[in-house]
Amino acid sequence: MKPALIVALDVPTAREMEEALDQMPDIIEWYKVGLELFCAAGPACLEPLKKRNKKIFLDLKLHDIPRTVANAVKTAASHGVNLLTVHAIGGRAMLEAAAEAARECSNPPKLAAVTTLTSLSQDDFADLGISRTVSEQALALGELAISSGIDGLVTSAHEAGVLHKKFPDSLLVVPGIRMPDGEIGDQKRVATPAFAVHQGATHLVVGRPILQAEYPESVVAAIFADIKNAS
Ligand code: C5P
């Protein structure tokens, strides 16, 4: 499968989203809408993406009782969303309900589970009463999500290799992508597109390196060239 490049539209308003879209090269097929933009502009902010025939990754990281999450999955699907995130920590019943709800949709979205937020450290785990290491937790929750019928996982490139080996048929959605000479910003564990793809990433999520570039088209071209090197 050819890896997909997803541009994260991390902007606060629908107007800024449209301005960003106007700067993006046509070759980009996927865009991610996250909590900030979705809370500000609602499902209406997905319309400009649909009008441009783009694929939509709605990154809401759903985590609630099974029925509520299942209904949210169906509603998101009705807005034409192609990929949606849930929290694996919601547990098997929630994950199975989400997967079943997606399957029942006429245009089923793919579901990717977040195993552990990358912002959590081992100290946070202690506060939360979790005795596993961060990587044990990622693997255990990955197993839980995939065995519950979820299509894939959100992971850093550095864990992607292990997850790809364990779940070779699952989607691996990888943020924290930077070009070798790029600024890393607040990301801690970054990787190049080639490294991520080599580790088994099926979807690369890139925000600031493209959104804030003076020439987004050349950054996108460099990313695709780097991906080609990996294959
Ligand atoms: O600007 P940047 O390329 O760092 O953006 C990465 C995107 O991926 C952001 O939308 C961020 O919220 C998301 N993300 C992440 N790390 C995770 C999960 C999601 O950076 N572990």
Side-chain angles (χ1 to χ4, degrees), residues 6-10 32 34 57 59 61 114 116-119 154-156 173-178 184-187 190 205-212:
I6 305 177
V7 174
L9 289 167
D10 292 327
K32 175 171 97 90
F57 170 17
D59 187 16
K61 299 187 179 71
V114 175
T116 304
L117 290 173
T118 41
S119 50
V154 181
T155 175
S156 97
V173 181
V174 176
I177 301 295
R178 295 292 181 270
I184 69 169
D186 59 0
Q187 291 282 14
V190 298
V205 182
V206 185
R208 289 160 292 182
I210 295 175
L211 279 191
Q212 295 177 357

Side-chain angles (χ1 to χ4, degrees), residues 107-193:
N107 286 313
K110 296 286 185 194
L111 299 180
V114 175
T115 54
T116 304
L117 290 173
T118 41
S119 50
L120 295 179
S121 66
Q122 205 64 53
D123 287 344
D124 294 311
F125 271 32
D127 288 343
L128 294 168
I130 302 170
S131 56
R132 290 186 185 127
T133 64
V134 172
S135 48
E136 282 168 355
Q137 176 79 343
L139 207 58
L141 291 191
E143 176 93 62
L144 172 68
I146 299 302
S147 67
S148 301
I150 300 297
D151 304 289
L153 303 170
V154 181
T155 175
S156 97
H158 301 276
E159 275 84 44
V162 173
L163 295 173
H164 179 60
K165 230 180 237 161
K166 208 158 162 58
F167 314 111
D169 301 325
S170 301
L171 306 179
L172 288 180
V173 181
V174 176
I177 301 295
R178 295 292 181 270
M179 295 308 283
D181 54 354
E183 285 195 16
I184 69 169
D186 59 0
Q187 291 282 14
K188 292 194 179 78
R189 308 185 65 217
V190 298
T192 63

Side-chain angles (χ1 to χ4, degrees), residues 57-81:
F57 170 17
L58 187 59
D59 187 16
L60 298 185
K61 299 187 179 71
L62 302 173
H63 180 193
D64 208 313
I65 59 170
R67 182 173 178 277
T68 304
V69 169
N71 287 340
V73 168
K74 284 186 187 161
T75 309
S78 77
H79 294 312
V81 166

Side-chain angles (χ1 to χ4, degrees), residues 67-100:
R67 182 173 178 277
T68 304
V69 169
N71 287 340
V73 168
K74 284 186 187 161
T75 309
S78 77
H79 294 312
V81 166
N82 305 92
L83 177 63
L84 185 62
T85 42
V86 295
H87 264 294
I89 197 84
R92 188 173 297 279
M94 189 207 87
L95 294 164
E96 286 179 352
E100 193 185 335

Side-chain angles (χ1 to χ4, degrees), residues 209-220:
I210 295 175
L211 279 191
Q212 295 177 357
E214 198 176 348
Y215 303 106
E217 200 154 348
S218 27
V219 179
V220 169

